[in-house]
Amino acid sequence: MTSSQTPPQKITKSHVDRLSTPATGQAFVRDTDLKGFAVRVTSSGAKSFILEKRIDGKVKRLTLGRYPELTVEQARKEAHKLLGHIAVGRNPAAEKKQEALQGTTLKQAFDDFIKTRKNLKERTLYDYRRLMTVAFVNWQDKAITSISKDMVAKQHRNIGAERGEAYANLAMRFLRALFNFAIAQYEDGSGNAILRENSVIRLTQTRAWYRVDRRQTVIKPHQLAPWYQAVISLKQDVIPKHSALVADYLLFLLFTGLRRQEAATLKWSDIDLNERSFTLTNTKNREPLTLPLTDYVYDLLQNRKVEASSEYVFAGEGKAGYLIEPRRQVQKVIELSGVSFTLHDLRRTFITIAESIDISAYALKRLVNHKMANDVTAGYIVSDVERLRKPMEQITAQLLQYFKINEEKKILSFPIINNT
């Protein structure tokens, strides 16, 4: 930005009123009575008072306020006050920055957190934003420095009572991460963090975290037949196109052991039907994974491709383009089969069945893309697609065996699903 200088003169109201607007950049008029005191005029016509003074070896330009909100006399008085502060060793610029940082709100810290953490996954971003608008909706405008340990403990209890203990723990783990970011991000002029301690530490110090046992539910072998029949009956829904897609999605999850988001975001470009394999590029541990297609899954995808009208294998009707959790269809399957399950239960079922038929631990961990960080031997084993094909086929064969209805091979009867 260009700037121009005019001869120094005593700054008065009448003189400020007569100042002309520069064509570009900004112009400065310095006062003859008070050294460092000046008026700045920008090309937009805005006028403001400034004070220029050497502080800690560098010339600093401090903005006093805009004219006419601040009068000439008020600005001159403020300049005198700041000069006095500087004379006794204070740094008004640093103090102003410190004051602004002290007022950083939870919402501002979250926005900076999101800008800094550029590689957060879309689902993670969604979950974080949801927590901000649900768990901390009344805290968004609070200064992070004002959120005390007592407030954290009380909020943890309130969330636990209203939304469940697991959700309360999740919310506080997120808040802990946000505070840790703020401690590293916001420093005063001396390089000290404005947030000296993470208030969520109170939950650890008092052992107030809720004890939430990790969910271990699976679909048991004797439940797989009715579950399968209920899923297949989705294809008889009055909205066959979408419900048939959900049926294939559920089966794909069970037969591959994928996480729901990995399967939902799978694109046709990720699938090689000629090589009978598919590749996950956006995994939880950020390591790409190529897996074999069993005959069953290959046939499922071949049939699905005939009706494909999207880049996603399991296309959705929303803005994302891919299938979001199909709660209505999942509930229908639960009602018809009497088997309560979640989408992640299908992954646990895949793993449980694999273990029951003694699939190699190394092969299984590779199939479900689990890291073996503490296993030195695993680092020397290369599990390529063809080596994984046999264990994948074995798991599929076991699932298909469980799908048999009974010894007499009678077919279960399920009512037609409708939208009511």
Side-chain angles (χ1 to χ4, degrees):
M1 178 179 289
T2 60
S3 61
S4 59
Q5 310 291 333
T6 58
Q9 52 193 293
K10 182 177 175 62
I11 295 174
T12 62
K13 180 181 183 306
S14 59
H15 179 67
V16 174
D17 288 337
R18 293 195 304 271
L19 288 176
S20 58
T21 300
T24 59
Q26 53 190 357
F28 292 88
V29 179
R30 289 172 170 79
D31 189 53
T32 53
D33 289 0
L34 183 60
K35 186 178 180 181
F37 182 52
V39 179
R40 175 175 55 200
V41 186
T42 66
S43 57
S44 65
K47 301 173 183 178
S48 58
F49 300 105
I50 65 167
L51 176 66
E52 293 175 321
K53 185 67 177 177
R54 184 175 294 275
I55 304 173
D56 296 334
K58 296 181 180 180
V59 175
K60 301 290 185 180
R61 181 177 292 164
L62 309 176
T63 300
L64 305 175
R66 296 187 64 170
Y67 178 81
E69 288 86 354
L70 195 68
T71 67
V72 173
E73 289 309 312
Q74 288 171 332
R76 192 181 296 278
K77 188 175 181 179
E78 179 66 17
H80 272 292
K81 184 175 76 171
L82 290 180
L83 287 171
H85 291 170
I86 295 169
V88 295
R90 291 172 59 179
N91 186 332
E95 290 175 1
K96 187 175 181 180
K97 179 182 178 182
Q98 171 77 358
E99 184 179 349
L101 285 176
Q102 289 290 341
T104 301
T105 65
L106 191 69
K107 176 65 167 60
Q108 290 170 332
F110 177 69
D111 289 342
D112 289 340
F113 176 79
I114 294 301
K115 291 175 185 176
T116 304
R117 299 283 297 276
K118 300 180 180 64
N119 295 324
L120 289 175
K121 292 180 178 293
E122 183 178 336
R123 178 67 195 189
T124 303
L125 278 172
Y126 172 84
D127 290 340
Y128 285 171
R129 290 191 175 107
R130 181 71 177 162
L131 285 167
M132 283 292 292
T133 56
V134 174
F136 303 109
V137 62
N138 296 325
W139 282 15
Q140 297 208 32
D141 294 328
K142 289 184 181 296
I144 56 176
T145 53
S146 71
I147 299 175
S148 67
K149 293 179 182 178
D150 286 341
M151 292 169 62
V152 166
K154 183 178 179 180
Q155 187 76 350
H156 184 235
R157 290 194 299 270
N158 290 342
I159 297 172
E162 295 174 7
R163 294 188 169 271
E165 296 178 352
Y167 191 81
N169 282 355
L170 174 67
M172 288 304 158
R173 284 196 297 270
F174 159 72
L175 186 65
R176 180 174 59 190
L178 190 54
F179 279 174
N180 281 338
F181 166 80
I183 290 171
Q185 180 74 9
Y186 306 120
E187 297 179 345
D188 61 21
S190 301
N192 298 316
I194 66 165
L195 199 62
R196 300 300 177 89
E197 189 176 32
N198 193 321
S199 295
V200 184
I201 197 173
R202 168 65 62 82
L203 302 180
T204 300
Q205 292 172 334
T206 60
R207 299 186 179 182
W209 292 99
Y210 291 113
R211 178 173 179 143
V212 180
D213 294 330
R214 184 174 180 179
R215 188 183 177 102
Q216 296 292 340
T217 54
V218 298
I219 301 177
K220 298 176 182 178
H222 72 274
Q223 297 175 317
L224 282 167
W227 179 87
Y228 173 72
Q229 287 295 320
V231 171
I232 293 301
S233 71
L234 286 178
K235 296 177 182 287
Q236 301 172 339
D237 202 331
V238 294
I239 311 178
K241 182 177 180 181
H242 186 67
S243 289
L245 180 142
V246 173
D248 286 344
Y249 174 64
L250 296 177
L251 292 170
F252 187 80
L253 286 175
L254 180 63
F255 277 88
T256 61
L258 294 188
R259 298 177 177 89
R260 60 184 181 183
Q261 192 75 358
E262 292 173 343
T265 56
L266 191 68
K267 297 180 179 180
W268 288 110
S269 58
D270 300 323
I271 297 173
D272 190 333
L273 291 174
N274 292 325
E275 293 292 332
R276 293 189 174 230
S277 67
F278 65 100
T279 300
L280 302 174
T281 57
N282 188 24
T283 62
K284 184 177 180 179
N285 63 16
R286 301 186 185 279
E287 292 185 358
L289 175 67
T290 299
L291 294 172
L293 293 174
T294 62
D295 291 342
Y296 182 92
V297 177
Y298 174 82
D299 291 340
L300 183 152
L301 292 176
Q302 282 279 44
N303 293 331
R304 172 83 4 232
K305 193 171 180 61
V306 173
E307 301 179 12
S309 58
S310 166
E311 63 175 331
Y312 291 103
V313 177
F314 301 104
E317 299 173 340
K319 183 178 179 180
Y322 53 81
L323 183 66
I324 305 300
E325 187 167 350
R327 291 186 177 87
R328 184 183 73 84
Q329 288 83 1
V330 167
Q331 187 57 39
K332 284 292 183 181
V333 173
I334 292 173
E335 292 172 2
L336 291 173
S337 65
V339 179
S340 181
F341 75 100
T342 66
L343 296 183
H344 200 69
D345 288 344
L346 303 181
R347 177 175 170 84
R348 278 190 284 264
T349 302
F350 175 91
I351 294 172
T352 301
I353 289 176
E355 290 177 332
S356 73
I357 58 176
D358 296 327
I359 295 297
S360 158
Y362 295 116
L364 179 54
K365 283 184 176 291
R366 189 60 180 160
L367 286 173
V368 296
N369 209 20
H370 280 171
K371 286 186 175 181
M372 292 180 282
N374 297 323
D375 193 323
V376 177
T377 306
Y380 292 92
I381 296 177
V382 179
S383 299
D384 60 19
V385 176
E386 293 310 315
R387 290 188 63 178
L388 294 175
R389 194 175 298 280
K390 181 178 179 180
M392 188 70 103
E393 288 286 5
Q394 288 175 315
I395 298 169
T396 295
Q398 187 63 53
L399 282 168
L400 292 174
Q401 184 175 332
Y402 286 136
F403 285 165
K404 293 180 180 180
I405 306 307
N406 57 36
E407 293 179 358
E408 295 155 357
K409 297 187 179 180
K410 293 180 181 178
I411 303 299
L412 293 176
S413 177
F414 290 87
I416 301 296
I417 296 178
N418 55 45
N419 279 333
T420 59

